[in-house]
Amino acid sequence: MPLARVLPVWRYALGAAICLGGALALLHEIVSGVRAFDASVHGALLGGATAALATALGTLPVLLSQNFSQRTYDGFLGFGAGVMLAATAFSLVIPSIAAARGQGAGSFEASAIAGGGILLGMGLVLLLDRLVRHQNLLEGVDTARSDSLKRAWLFVAAVAIHNLPEGLAIGVAYAGVDITKAHSLATGISIQDVPEGLVVALALRTVGYGRLFSCALGVASGLIEPVAAVGGAVLIEYARWMLPWGLALAAGAMLFVIAHDVIPEAHRNGHGRSASCSVVAGFILMMVLDTALA
């Protein structure tokens, strides 16, 4: 039976359009209602929208029928993992410890707060992953197709899940870290979002879905980022004491996703050496963005 009959494209396109419209309306209401801290909210919205746009940009090669070797996009994934890893350390964990000290915590207490926040962030991603895998959110897809189709959809779900802490990290950074570090974090996340959009579209394309549908899902996977970014900025502005925890939580979520999803996927097809070299290159780039240019 053709895939189009199992999963009608237009039904999902309409659903995606409705979700996008709702997300934009929500963003408009949030931004309109928080006049007291326009700068941080607008910065978070811009940073999150840039990341979402980068995800969409990554789908263009698939839309234009360009083919990349498996080694190439495994390298893209590794590069993105390195960027995220450096962003976790230099833009989230270190500022979290500094923020805790700025609120009067001692050295050990500040480190303990950061460690606790990292554990909470990991727990958040584990919870979201459990909901996706065990609450029948993929019912009708993974049970009716081959293992490759199931793996493709689970990977799409994993990318969408980890875009939530990325958006949260952007929002928290704009609310509490200096603007230069916030810009560098948003830049780093946007860089690694480009290959994510590409890989999501490729994952669906290689198991038989059409170019438009594959690219539409790739774009949709990044839409959570501006919503999460604004939500993170608003939350921190209302409760400044949460800043060290928020930074560390975002770091823990990103760190777990790097180790659990991004790097294993980059190594899964036998290109571990080139993917690992790309991790180092991405780490160096983000380190420069976050330290030398600060």
Side-chain angles (χ1 to χ4, degrees):
M1 181 182 296
L3 286 175
R5 295 183 182 178
V6 178
L7 195 62
V9 174
W10 286 110
R11 185 178 68 185
Y12 281 83
L14 177 61
I18 293 173
C19 291
L20 176 59
L24 291 175
L26 176 62
L27 285 174
H28 180 269
E29 290 300 319
I30 292 175
V31 173
S32 298
V34 287
R35 300 297 184 188
F37 39 90
D38 277 345
S40 62
V41 172
H42 287 170
L45 177 58
L46 179 60
T50 301
L53 181 61
T55 303
L57 182 65
T59 69
L60 285 180
V62 176
L63 185 63
L64 299 175
S65 298
Q66 297 297 312
N67 294 318
F68 287 90
S69 68
Q70 185 72 47
R71 182 185 297 273
T72 299
Y73 73 79
D74 285 347
F76 282 152
L77 269 182
F79 185 82
V83 168
M84 291 172 65
L85 190 60
T88 298
F90 296 107
S91 295
L92 294 173
V93 174
I94 292 176
S96 171
I97 295 173
R101 287 178 175 173
Q103 293 177 1
S107 297
F108 180 80
E109 185 182 357
S111 296
I113 289 173
I118 290 171
L119 290 176
L120 287 175
M122 180 184 69
L124 172 64
V125 177
L126 282 171
L127 176 61
L128 290 173
D129 183 70
R130 183 177 180 84
L131 289 174
V132 168
R133 293 175 186 270
H134 299 293
Q135 296 299 322
N136 295 323
L137 296 182
L138 298 176
E139 187 175 6
V141 176
D142 57 347
T143 58
R145 298 288 110 199
S146 65
D147 288 342
S148 62
L149 183 60
K150 177 181 178 180
R151 187 169 60 247
W153 277 99
L154 287 175
F155 182 67
V156 171
V159 171
I161 286 172
H162 97 256
N163 279 338
L164 176 62
E166 286 181 6
L168 176 65
I170 291 173
V172 170
Y174 275 99
V177 182
D178 69 82
I179 196 67
T180 302
K181 286 188 176 294
H183 284 331
S184 65
L185 175 63
T187 300
I189 289 177
S190 297
I191 289 171
Q192 68 88 32
D193 276 345
V194 174
E196 282 183 11
L198 172 64
V199 172
V200 167
L202 281 174
L204 294 172
R205 184 72 175 130
T206 54
V207 294
Y209 289 99
R211 283 183 295 153
L212 289 177
F213 180 74
S214 299
C215 293
L217 263 293
V219 172
S221 69
L223 294 180
I224 187 63
E225 293 195 65
V227 178
V230 171
V234 171
L235 179 64
I236 296 302
E237 285 291 347
Y238 272 116
R240 300 295 298 182
W241 64 268
M242 293 181 62
L243 177 60
W245 290 95
L247 288 166
L249 185 147
M254 288 179 64
L255 184 61
F256 181 81
V257 167
I258 294 165
H260 187 261
D261 290 313
V262 182
I263 291 179
E265 182 64 23
H267 284 242
R268 186 172 62 84
N269 297 292
H271 304 125
R273 179 173 297 178
S274 58
S276 296
C277 291
S278 297
V279 170
V280 175
F283 186 95
I284 292 172
L285 174 64
M286 187 60 193
M287 180 185 66
V288 171
L289 287 173
D290 214 0
T291 57
L293 301 181

